[in-house]
Amino acid sequence: SDVPVLTLDGPGGAGKGTISRLVADELGWHLLDSGALYRLTALAAERQGVNFSDTAALAQVARELNVAFLPCEGGAQVLLEEEDVSHEIRKEHVGGWASEVASMPPVRDALLKRQRDFARPPGLVADGRDMGTVVFPQASLKIFLTASAEERARRRQAQLQSSGSHASLPDLLKEIQTRDERDMQRAVAPLVAARDAITLDTTELTIPDVVARIGALLTERG
Ligand code: C5P
């Protein structure tokens, strides 16, 4: 389609969520938080008592997912079966489940069309792991956001603290490394920069720095 798409891929904690939202707000474009779809699939499956080794059942959960993203101050309210699960899906253990179900090709297939449907005028900012490689290979601009694992653990800790939760830095670092490993090693849609992606290492950059840099790249591309 002709809808412009900006993809932002990279490991967890690189700042994709925050950056994607700010860039989408600035442009007035739609936002796809694809990680939330994997988290929601995992949470829904868990609630339905689906066995995580039953790939076909998990794919069915993904296909039948009844979710809504309601834009609100500072983000989106995420509904699963009309229930607000915005906080629930951000929990570390749900992220771990998400990365498990995300390694299953039938689950990824089941979510593919749903993700592509987010591309509507005037444009889309797509946040994930395989936005530029698999879901939107024709994207107008592809960014791969990274940061050192230590920095990502620190950011994650700050984020948890601001929402009233706590986790130790070593635990978070271990969690992040395990998840990176699984996301990079999986056979289908592994976490990797698209050949035509521009890599931005955000370890030493502030959020406004990164937003400005992406804005400049978009302008350059016309
Ligand atoms: O980005 P977020 O931490 O919410 O993603 C949760 C998990 O979902 C990731 O660790 C990854 O395994 C999976 N994911 C994916 N493909 C995407 C987005 C997320 O496999 N496009």
Side-chain angles (χ1 to χ4, degrees):
S1 73
D2 307 327
V3 180
V5 176
L6 163 63
T7 60
L8 276 162
D9 290 303
K16 280 174 300 148
T18 306
I19 304 290
S20 301
R21 181 155 37 77
L22 290 171
V23 172
D25 282 352
E26 203 167 286
L27 297 167
W29 287 8
H30 298 281
L31 177 65
L32 164 62
D33 175 0
S34 60
L37 290 174
Y38 289 97
R39 289 170 182 269
L40 286 159
T41 300
L43 182 63
E46 217 273 333
R47 288 183 170 184
Q48 291 170 36
V50 170
N51 191 321
F52 273 43
S53 60
D54 188 345
T55 308
L58 288 171
Q60 190 174 344
V61 171
R63 264 191 306 276
E64 292 172 354
L65 213 52
N66 173 17
V67 299
F69 295 89
L70 309 177
C72 67
E73 187 64 38
Q77 198 181 26
V78 184
L79 304 183
L80 173 61
E81 302 290 345
E82 256 103 89
E83 180 195 335
D84 186 347
V85 294
S86 314
H87 295 293
E88 183 74 19
I89 60 162
R90 294 299 152 207
K91 294 184 175 165
E92 282 308 298
H93 66 274
V94 179
W97 297 341
S99 143
E100 266 185 67
V101 305
S103 69
M104 302 168 185
V107 171
R108 304 198 70 87
D109 273 355
L111 292 177
L112 196 57
K113 184 179 181 299
R114 197 187 282 263
Q115 295 177 81
R116 289 186 174 150
D117 286 343
F118 276 79
R120 277 168 289 137
L124 176 70
V125 177
D127 162 358
R129 303 290 187 288
D130 63 340
M131 298 296 99
T133 50
V134 176
V135 182
F136 301 108
Q138 313 302 337
S140 9
L141 177 62
K142 303 179 182 181
I143 306 283
F144 194 79
L145 273 193
T146 61
S148 71
E150 290 72 18
E151 175 63 18
R152 290 187 283 127
R154 273 192 293 276
R155 289 178 188 172
R156 183 72 188 124
Q157 190 182 45
Q159 197 178 41
L160 285 170
Q161 254 154 20
S162 72
S163 67
S165 309
H166 302 276
S168 82
L169 216 44
D171 283 353
L172 284 172
L173 186 58
K174 216 172 114 222
E175 185 105 20
I176 279 177
Q177 283 165 335
T178 308
R179 193 122 66 88
D180 282 358
E181 187 103 332
R182 184 156 48 201
D183 290 348
M184 289 185 295
Q185 304 293 316
R186 70 180 173 220
V188 57
L191 171 62
V192 62
R195 222 191 307 246
D196 50 350
I198 294 168
T199 297
L200 287 181
D201 185 329
T202 71
T203 308
E204 313 272 331
L205 297 178
T206 66
I207 290 165
D209 283 344
V210 180
V211 172
R213 226 171 261 209
I214 292 173
L217 286 167
L218 272 171
T219 310
E220 260 174 49
R221 297 293 171 100

